[in-house]
Amino acid sequence: MNNSIATWMHKRQKVRLLALLAAPGLWLVVAYLGALGALLVTAFFTIDNFTGDTIPGFNLGNFHDMVSDPAYRNVMFRTLGIALSVTLICSAIAIPMAFFMAKVAKPRNQKFLVALVLTPLWASYLVKIYAWRSMLEPGTGVIDWLLSPLGIHSPGFGGPAIIIGLSYLWLPYMILPIYAGLERLPNSLLDASGDLGARNFYTFRKVVLPLIFPSLVAGSMFTFSLSLGDYITAQIIGGKLQMLGNVVYQNFSINLPFAATIATIPITIMALYLWLVRRTGALASL
Amino acid sequence: MTLSNRARYALASLMGVGLAFIYIPLSVVVINSFNASRTFSWPPTGLSLKWWSKAIANTGVRQALGWSVAAGLSATAIALLLGTCLAFAVSRYEFFGKEVISLLVVLPISLPGVVTGIALSNAFTKQLGISTSLLTVIIGHATFCIVVVYNNALARLRRMGTSLQEASMDLGANGFTTFRLITLPNLASALFAGGLLAFGLSFDEIVVTTFTAGPGIQTLPIWIYDNLFRPNQAPVVNVVAATLVVFSLIPIYLSQWLSQDSTSGGRF
């Protein structure tokens, strides 16, 4: 019996493929894409001011409100600025660390260093942001205790705190692809550059950087996109500052169509970003 | 590689600064859980174990842990099944829409959690008319967990090739026997790594959970979040946070021990 089913299946490739694709295909297309589509359509709906119910229809009013109100424009540019800063800070910290791990550390230490960098990825997101609350707390926080003798004071809760917190959260996502890229980069290239008279920094700029560019782009996909949609970090260490995610979150229960409208901003930015990345061909060479 | 000693020392110290940046905040969380005082102030004025015993006795925490484990295990089981099927289809067959499927599977973790969260919540409560519960949390989690199982399984299947299966079939084993004796054992460690990561993602998830959890369903991250700003709960939150930091070492050891395909366990 078992054998005859197996033989029957073996002869029919289409049946096997269909059996494999049916469940995940239905899940992703119907459950996920369907839900996403339904949400985006809601952006064109309006809301009944008395009952708070959504009224289906085609209305661009939400988009008009979003574009015409300078408050939302500010939030959008602030969020973009934060996501870009986080990406730059993560790259600046990650490149030397990844370089040390891949090219300077002894081979037997490499695995250990990778584990050290990876560990915080498994530590809870909330715990890490909570940790930064204790770090940044003005007056009684760890930063003030540690650095006030040097004349440095905690920036307190607000924009800089959000940037520090998000950089902290996503740093491993930047280190790992750069480390992987550097590991693939043959040492002979660096030696050749040195033999031809290039100084360390020149070799870095002309040989290393162009070759790890795809890894940087891969890392930035995480640092940029994860920062773009975040709202919890802003709630915990952002003071009164809002990001796009906070606006979506606040509107979710009172005005779903408007929440959906705001949600189109990060989706559009991410789509543009992915398209740009594809054009540079960075993903293909990963 | 030839680097001047100065450059080596510079890089080593940057590595040290980076590691300090990573580990100082985590150490603060662990030390803070022993802080005797109820309110936060650094450095701690005295050390005590009393908050640890309070936290262990806290029923809210234990219940939240239960919800988290239940949601994580169920979402991981679904993700293992769906992700493996998808990886087989993509690695072994040619079909129309293959590119679309491989894009679709990463979409749930590429888009902001808040978008996925409100989309699912809207679909569940408004479109389908089902009320949120633990089941809706599981569905939400499974949706973004599929990709990590898929990535791990796909990498392994591509590396394995098909020659072993063909040899098995040539020797007379049917499709089921070949899967049981050849394919599955070769795939097992990749599935374990993928499953581990899926569980980790689900266990830590807060945004999608916020929007899909039914009344009374409080996973551990939601519990932490709800109690974060309650001053008299702060010591217990500290202990839970410290425990989570310490427990994060376990999956790292497990995944280092079996990492063969990638150092990141297929996040990339």
Side-chain angles (χ1 to χ4, degrees), chain A residues 20, chain B residues 80-93 149-165 178-179 182-191 260-261:
Chain A
L20 286 173
Chain B
L80 275 173
L81 190 69
L82 299 184
T84 314
C85 284
L86 206 55
F88 265 103
V90 168
S91 69
R92 299 285 192 251
Y93 300 89
V149 175
Y150 167 82
N151 279 350
N152 274 283
L154 187 68
R156 180 63 58 84
L157 284 170
R158 287 205 167 130
R159 223 165 41 121
M160 255 163 68
T162 53
S163 45
L164 279 178
Q165 279 103 305
T178 303
F179 179 78
I182 306 295
T183 317
L184 199 55
N186 274 301
L187 201 58
S189 65
L191 291 184
Q260 290 166 21
D261 290 315

Side-chain angles (χ1 to χ4, degrees), chain A residues 64-80 244 262 265:
Chain A
H64 181 258
D65 290 348
M66 177 177 84
V67 177
S68 59
D69 191 336
Y72 296 119
R73 245 190 330 236
N74 283 344
V75 174
M76 186 180 92
F77 285 121
R78 177 186 306 139
T79 308
L80 265 176
L244 280 174
I262 298 284
I265 304 177

Side-chain angles (χ1 to χ4, degrees), chain A residues 84-104:
Chain A
L84 280 175
S85 316
V86 169
T87 303
L88 287 178
I89 290 175
C90 283
S91 321
I93 304 178
I95 293 174
M97 287 181 82
F99 195 87
F100 180 84
M101 287 158 66
K103 297 294 176 198
V104 183

Side-chain angles (χ1 to χ4, degrees), chain A residues 1-12 15-16 19-20, chain B residues 88 93 165 168-169 172-185:
Chain A
M1 176 64 194
N2 207 346
N3 220 344
S4 61
I5 298 176
T7 317
W8 188 85
M9 295 268 287
H10 186 71
K11 286 184 186 146
R12 287 164 186 80
V15 176
R16 272 182 293 154
L20 286 173
Chain B
F88 265 103
Y93 300 89
Q165 279 103 305
S168 159
M169 305 274 261
N174 69 29
F176 294 126
T177 313
T178 303
F179 179 78
R180 190 163 53 85
L181 294 178
I182 306 295
T183 317
L184 199 55

Side-chain angles (χ1 to χ4, degrees), chain A residues 2 116 125-126 130 168 235, chain B residues 22-23 176 204 221 225 238:
Chain A
N2 207 346
L116 269 185
Y125 167 104
L126 271 178
Y130 182 56
Y168 183 74
Q235 279 182 344
Chain B
I22 292 176
Y23 281 97
F176 294 126
D204 191 25
Y225 187 76
N238 288 338

Side-chain angles (χ1 to χ4, degrees), chain B residues 9-254:
Chain B
Y9 288 132
L11 283 168
S13 42
L14 285 175
M15 183 80 206
V17 171
L19 286 176
F21 174 63
I22 292 176
Y23 281 97
I24 289 178
L26 292 179
S27 326
V28 166
V29 168
V30 175
I31 297 169
N32 207 16
S33 69
F34 299 104
N35 192 345
S37 143
R38 184 178 278 277
T39 51
F40 172 77
S41 170
W42 194 265
T45 44
L47 298 178
S48 143
L49 276 172
K50 67 176 167 186
W51 303 120
W52 280 80
S53 48
K54 282 255 167 64
I56 292 164
N58 188 308
T59 46
V61 174
R62 281 197 287 190
Q63 208 167 30
L65 183 67
W67 290 120
S68 273
V69 171
L73 288 180
S74 319
T76 305
I78 296 172
L80 275 173
L81 190 69
L82 299 184
T84 314
C85 284
L86 206 55
F88 265 103
V90 168
S91 69
R92 299 285 192 251
Y93 300 89
E94 286 305 323
F95 57 92
F96 176 75
K98 197 162 148 174
E99 288 281 305
V100 179
I101 279 285
S102 44
L103 182 74
L104 196 56
V105 73
V106 293
L107 210 54
I109 56 164
S110 312
L111 287 183
V114 66
V115 174
T116 306
I118 62 172
L120 287 176
S121 169
N122 177 48
F124 288 139
T125 55
K126 302 265 169 62
Q127 319 282 328
L128 300 174
I130 20 178
S131 50
T132 50
S133 60
L134 182 64
L135 184 71
T136 49
V137 174
I138 295 170
I139 294 174
H141 284 195
T143 306
F144 61 77
C145 284
I146 295 175
V147 61
V148 290
V149 175
Y150 167 82
N151 279 350
N152 274 283
L154 187 68
R156 180 63 58 84
L157 284 170
R158 287 205 167 130
R159 223 165 41 121
M160 255 163 68
T162 53
S163 45
L164 279 178
Q165 279 103 305
E166 280 158 14
S168 159
M169 305 274 261
D170 285 347
L171 292 168
N174 69 29
F176 294 126
T177 313
T178 303
F179 179 78
R180 190 163 53 85
L181 294 178
I182 306 295
T183 317
L184 199 55
N186 274 301
L187 201 58
S189 65
L191 291 184
F192 184 78
L196 193 65
L197 194 60
F199 185 81
L201 282 183
S202 163
F203 196 75
D204 191 25
E205 217 288 331
I206 172 156
V207 178
V208 174
T209 320
T210 306
F211 293 102
T212 52
I217 308 258
Q218 218 177 18
T219 61
L220 205 51
I222 301 276
W223 183 90
I224 296 178
Y225 187 76
D226 285 349
N227 288 285
L228 208 53
F229 296 105
R230 292 185 188 158
N232 58 343
Q233 285 281 44
V236 178
V237 172
N238 288 338
V239 174
V240 174
T243 315
L244 288 179
V245 170
V246 175
F247 275 132
S248 67
L249 297 172
I250 297 170
I252 276 295
Y253 277 101
L254 287 177

